[in-house]
Amino acid sequence: MTDTERAAAVEQALGKLDLDTKARLLAGQDMWSLPPVPEIGLGSLVMSDGPIGVRGVRSTADDPSVALPSPTALAAAWDPGLARRAGRLLAQEARRKGVHVLLAPTVNLHRSPLGGRHFEAYSEDPYLTGEIGTGYVAGVQDGGVGTTVKHFVANDAETDRFTVDNVVGERALRELYLAPFEAIVKNARPWGVMAAYNGVNGSTMTEHRRLQNEVLRDEWGFDGFVVSDWTAARDTVAAVTGGLDVAMPGPRTVYGEALAQAVREGRVEESVVDDAVRRVLLLAGRAGLLEGVPAAVPAGALPAAVDGEALAREIARRSFVLLRNEPRDGRPVLPLDPAALRGVALVGAAARDARVLGGGSAYVFPAHVVSPLDGLRAALPAGTGLTYSVGADPSAELAVAEQGFTLRALFRDAGGRPLGETALPSGQAQWLGTDLPEGVSFAALHTVEVTGTFTPRESGAHHFGTRGLGGFRLVVADTVVFEGVQEMGQESDPFEAFFGAPLDRGTAELEAGVPVAVSLTCDVFKIEDMPIETVAFSLVHRGPRRDPDELIAEAVAAARDAEAAIVVVATTERVESEGFDRADLRLPGRQDDLVHAVAAANPRTVVVVNSGAPVELPWREEVAAVLLGWFPGQEAGAALADVLFGAEEPGGRLPTTWPVKLADAPVTRVEPREGVLTYEEGVHIGYRAWDRSDVAPAYAFGHGLGYTDWEYDGAGYEAAAGHDDADTLGVVTVRLRNAGARAGREVVQVYLAVPEDDGADRPRRVLAGFLSVELPAGGTTEVRVPLSRRAARTWDETAGAWRTPPGTYTAEIGRSLVDRRLTVPVPVPVSATG
């Protein structure tokens, strides 16, 4: 069916709907879906969170999801083709779970390293973000599942995210924050875009007529639907006239009955409602939910099945960034030779209890998680002598009960009658809207009983507690540890109320390996003005506390006796998560002290850093190697072993600059003043700002080492033929040789530097093209890297248009922003079209 025929079918369906049905179709019927309209053959369209995995409509471990590495990890691979394969896997998962639209990808920028949700976004660079996002969207929609590119727009921090007005100059808005959305709309034709919570230049985004209607639709030609972030829609008339098609979640929204009434009162033209309904019907048709309209991807044209575990492992190892790899005994420490190792000391709480997901709405329940300890044990030959020591715990707080716990949740009404039950993968109990288990309604629910067993790993005084709101009764080994009520405080964000600081309620003396019964009963609080019916609380736990100096001393002793020491350090969900920004870039707990001490004891110390955004590395020049693991997904430990022991090469390059310390970062402010956050830095964020600074970062944008050597033997440039408004400025050709002794992968990066006599306030250079290349040892090739014309363009705020300042630019070709190997001139003539 052609676009014209599909539009005619949509028009025919629209003509059969009355005003009330149309208004109802634009409002969620529940947490995740739109209502069906059987009389026109319209099924219910289902949405789900899905940046790294598809959770589905119910928060349950009974239907596990593949958990891929974080979006920042995916961007670190610098490979849109890999992102497309990830998208195809997620589409496969979505179809399995009955989901038609993924609420992803997140293409906001890493404006400041303090942004709390950076792990869910790709990069500080709009071009790299747009390319990876385009691959992801294309892959998901290859599989017949829609995407909603989010959060439109300038949603780059979490502080006061519901109310903040971000004041952004038009040039910065166009050149940076809108740019990835524009690239994805034009190159991947996403089926949806999500409007953000925040405001931009005085208008909240769900009501932003200029950006949603004039820019997104009229300028860029976007033909999909715009959906609100959950609870972001505030005003019926302003939202629908501002370009918002769907208000989520339901059943309480500003659309539905309120929208129909606004039309009857003459405050909204019915034609405006019709335009929104057309877009929703088009979406349904593309998803195969509208009778008479064939799906965008017929069942017989779906991509081949993808092995989720294999792809998760591949993405993880391709995303690992090797920052440092210094020689010891005449050769770099990595890769380690597992056959020759006489002993390995693995150190760090994060090596045993892996954090593989970021906190917040991106969470899923994988069927299994391979920790670094699991992965190394499986990969090392018997008799190698792998030792493990905790060394330092990232957090002194109680954490969600997980290791050693086997739990289920039982739901009861006010009379004690069971309503339903489900397995829990951890002590975090969270259900939003209608994603409660089958047979359980929020209206009938009174009590949730989390019950199960706990098998301690260590003997001693174990601490137990609660997090969240409600009336609690906590029992451990038949002893009531706590009974009382936790009320709502002054929190402005529901994430703070339900996922704030855990409370220590008491201790129990337990013996290692001996299971005990545990239970946490919660009398559910039902807060009247909460926009989403929410059940959210946690059973939290902390093992026996040992003297931190003793733990470090144990790790040092193990490291001193080993041939190599591997220290895994990490952030926690209290450092990086949705709902709040970071206060600093330090690793939590005594982890820095641990690395200093282990490095002093063993010159062959390798540090694996597991964080979704930059952290300070004060010991980086003391250790032999530093490897970034991001949040690497369910196959984390297996992929880590692949890379550490040389079965695979770490393929990642930095998608974001890493500072030595926070004070050096060019942009740090994320807190509004009197409700306003001004993007005072203009177009100078990330490496664009570092390039102008007298301070060098710890590791520059694009940096990443491998296990082989590369020679750049020559380069040339060919101007693009045809119209001067084409997306491609020209093509850089690069002759490349793998000069090392093993096969490897290189990411050829091309930066476009402005003419020296350019007097405008422009970045000195911007990323204009890149290409991932694989070659065997000694292999040579010539690669062709298209240059984005946008790299030479700037937004003229006076004219309200793009312009391309003419002159001789320079294509700088190399391995990172600061490791540039070759240059070629790029003449840019006067353009008639800008």
Side-chain angles (χ1 to χ4, degrees):
M1 177 177 278
T2 66
D3 287 346
T4 301
E5 291 171 327
R6 182 173 280 111
V10 165
E11 206 64 32
Q12 185 177 20
L14 176 64
K16 299 177 182 178
L17 300 178
D18 60 26
L19 174 60
D20 290 311
T21 304
K22 288 186 288 190
R24 182 164 51 88
L25 189 55
L26 303 181
Q29 68 172 347
D30 52 32
M31 186 68 181
W32 302 113
S33 70
L34 297 182
V37 184
E39 53 266 37
I40 63 168
L42 176 65
S44 176
L45 186 136
V46 177
M47 296 171 261
S48 171
D49 285 315
I52 56 95
V54 183
R55 187 168 62 252
V57 299
R58 296 195 185 280
S59 298
T60 173
D62 291 336
D63 183 17
S65 308
V66 173
L68 296 178
S70 70
T72 303
L74 187 61
W78 287 59
D79 188 346
L82 185 64
R84 189 164 192 164
R85 290 169 55 205
R88 287 179 171 178
L89 169 64
L90 294 176
Q92 176 179 300
E93 286 278 282
R95 293 194 309 271
R96 181 176 66 82
K97 288 175 174 273
V99 169
H100 309 108
V101 176
L102 286 186
L103 303 172
T106 300
V107 299
N108 303 114
L109 299 184
H110 297 173
R111 172 180 169 266
S112 162
L114 293 177
R117 205 173 177 180
H118 279 359
F119 59 86
E120 197 179 320
Y122 292 130
S123 170
E124 68 188 25
D125 180 70
Y127 177 71
L128 177 59
T129 296
E131 290 293 292
I132 301 302
T134 292
Y136 178 101
V137 168
V140 173
Q141 294 182 178
D142 285 346
V145 174
T147 56
T148 55
V149 189
K150 65 184 189 181
H151 307 85
F152 191 69
V153 62
N155 184 223
D156 310 298
E158 294 293 282
T159 304
D160 294 344
R161 60 179 179 158
F162 296 114
T163 57
V164 64
D165 180 30
N166 293 329
V167 176
V168 191
E170 187 68 13
R171 185 177 165 212
L173 195 59
R174 292 282 186 160
E175 294 184 19
L176 297 176
Y177 304 103
L178 287 171
F181 290 93
E182 181 181 3
I184 295 168
V185 165
K186 292 183 175 179
N187 297 325
R189 297 190 65 190
W191 298 359
V193 163
M194 180 185 288
Y197 290 119
N198 58 279
V200 171
N201 299 333
S203 173
T204 188
M205 277 308 306
T206 54
E207 302 166 11
H208 213 303
R209 182 197 303 261
R210 187 179 74 84
L211 291 178
Q212 294 186 146
N213 283 339
E214 297 173 18
V215 174
L216 177 63
R217 292 192 170 105
D218 297 343
E219 254 187 65
W220 300 348
F222 174 66
D223 68 352
F225 86 126
V226 176
V227 61
S228 71
D229 204 340
W230 266 226
T231 74
R234 300 171 176 92
D235 183 276
T236 301
V237 175
V240 75
T241 57
L244 184 74
D245 298 319
V246 172
M248 291 296 290
R252 290 183 290 172
T253 85
V254 298
Y255 285 176
E257 292 181 9
L259 180 56
Q261 187 65 22
V263 173
R264 292 190 174 101
E265 293 173 355
R267 294 182 291 128
V268 174
E269 295 291 334
E270 189 167 356
S271 61
V272 174
V273 175
D274 287 347
D275 286 342
V277 174
R278 283 187 184 95
R279 290 186 282 265
V280 171
L281 293 176
L282 175 62
L283 172 67
R286 286 170 165 164
L289 293 171
L290 183 58
E291 192 175 296
V293 180
V297 182
L302 292 171
V306 180
D307 184 327
E309 291 184 11
L311 184 58
R313 185 169 179 170
E314 179 184 353
I315 293 172
R317 66 189 183 225
R318 290 275 307 278
S319 72
F320 289 149
V321 178
L322 183 58
L323 295 180
R324 175 180 172 89
N325 193 18
E326 294 299 295
R328 297 290 188 267
D329 301 325
R331 62 178 298 274
V333 165
L334 293 181
L336 299 168
D337 181 356
L341 281 173
R342 296 185 303 277
V344 178
L346 180 62
V347 177
R352 180 179 63 182
D353 302 327
R355 185 183 183 200
V356 300
L357 307 169
S361 60
Y363 78 96
V364 294
F365 303 117
H368 66 270
V369 170
V370 183
S371 70
L373 180 57
D374 296 333
L376 268 61
R377 277 176 172 164
L380 284 169
T384 299
L386 174 67
T387 63
Y388 170 74
S389 52
V390 172
D393 196 315
S395 176
E397 292 184 335
L398 282 71
V400 171
E402 192 165 8
Q403 297 294 331
F405 287 85
T406 302
L407 303 170
R408 292 192 68 80
L410 175 64
F411 304 81
R412 296 183 185 274
D413 64 15
R417 184 175 65 87
L419 300 173
E421 64 178 316
T422 185
L424 288 179
S426 71
Q428 179 168 306
Q430 177 179 327
W431 298 275
L432 305 176
T434 54
D435 67 0
L436 287 159
E438 197 71 36
V440 182
S441 71
F442 188 77
L445 179 63
H446 181 269
T447 302
V448 180
E449 298 174 10
V450 174
T451 61
T453 60
F454 170 54
T455 305
R457 293 186 293 204
E458 302 165 280
S459 298
H462 287 254
H463 293 248
F464 294 84
T466 64
R467 185 176 68 177
L469 309 176
F472 293 111
R473 187 172 192 269
L474 174 61
V475 180
V476 179
D478 299 324
T479 299
V480 177
V481 174
F482 171 74
E483 192 162 13
V485 176
Q486 182 64 38
E487 301 277 2
M488 184 112 172
Q490 300 300 314
E491 299 89 351
S492 61
D493 188 328
F495 272 92
E496 291 184 59
F498 290 109
F499 304 114
L503 298 174
D504 192 337
R505 300 301 193 180
T507 62
E509 287 288 335
L510 304 178
E511 184 180 343
V514 179
V516 295
V518 295
S519 70
L520 176 62
T521 302
C522 175
D523 293 337
V524 176
F525 275 12
K526 298 181 179 179
I527 303 170
E528 289 186 7
D529 58 350
M530 282 292 288
I532 302 174
E533 294 177 339
T534 302
V535 180
F537 64 92
S538 296
L539 168 64
V540 294
H541 164 262
R542 190 187 69 201
R545 302 303 293 170
R546 295 184 52 201
D547 182 271
D549 291 330
E550 287 183 7
L551 290 176
I552 291 176
E554 283 183 5
V556 167
R560 188 178 291 117
D561 294 339
E563 184 177 353
I566 300 168
V567 185
V568 182
V569 296
T571 60
T572 69
E573 67 171 6
R574 297 279 287 146
V575 174
E576 290 185 89
S577 183
E578 180 179 351
F580 55 86
D581 291 312
R582 300 163 73 189
D584 56 57
L585 302 185
R586 294 189 296 272
L587 285 168
R590 296 280 303 278
Q591 293 181 104
D592 286 333
D593 293 341
L594 172 66
V595 176
H596 284 303
V598 171
N602 191 321
R604 293 168 60 82
T605 293
V606 177
V607 181
V608 180
V609 182
N610 187 18
S611 68
V615 294
E616 293 173 2
L617 309 174
W619 33 259
R620 63 192 177 92
E621 295 185 356
E622 301 170 24
V623 301
V626 181
L627 184 70
L628 301 186
W630 313 109
F631 296 141
Q634 66 178 52
E635 305 300 319
L640 179 62
D642 289 341
V643 166
L644 290 178
F645 301 138
E648 300 287 344
E649 186 181 43
R653 305 292 184 267
L654 284 181
T656 290
T657 308
W658 278 49
V660 175
K661 56 185 183 297
L662 175 61
D664 296 338
V667 181
T668 57
R669 187 178 154 213
V670 293
E671 293 189 359
R673 295 172 186 155
E674 297 181 350
V676 175
L677 178 63
T678 302
Y679 286 33
E680 298 168 341
E681 67 283 350
V683 296
H684 301 290
I685 68 169
Y687 68 84
R688 290 164 163 79
W690 282 100
D691 218 11
R692 294 156 46 100
S693 172
D694 294 330
V695 179
Y699 299 102
F701 179 82
H703 173 70
L705 307 175
Y707 291 158
T708 187
D709 299 316
W710 295 91
E711 292 183 358
Y712 286 66
D713 294 332
Y717 174 72
E718 303 169 10
H723 301 294
D724 61 3
D725 62 345
D727 291 337
T728 301
L729 188 67
V731 176
V732 168
T733 58
V734 184
R735 292 185 296 280
L736 195 68
R737 185 168 77 90
N738 180 350
R742 60 174 285 164
R745 179 183 294 273
E746 176 69 327
V747 177
V748 179
Q749 303 168 37
V750 183
Y751 298 86
L752 192 67
V754 300
E756 291 186 6
D757 59 353
D758 186 279
D761 181 27
R762 302 173 71 187
R764 292 176 178 174
R765 56 186 54 82
V766 297
L767 181 68
F770 62 91
L771 192 68
S772 183
V773 182
E774 279 188 274
L775 283 176
T780 61
T781 190
E782 182 173 276
V783 299
R784 296 172 58 83
V785 184
L787 297 190
S788 168
R789 182 174 292 275
R790 182 60 62 84
R793 284 180 169 165
T794 186
W795 183 260
D796 187 328
E797 292 186 334
T798 301
W802 292 102
R803 68 182 183 90
T804 308
T808 301
Y809 294 69
T810 304
E812 301 179 337
I813 305 138
R815 310 196 71 224
S816 76
L817 181 77
V818 298
D819 186 0
R820 305 186 297 272
R821 305 292 180 89
L822 301 169
T823 62
V824 292
V826 177
V828 176
V830 175
S831 169
T833 61

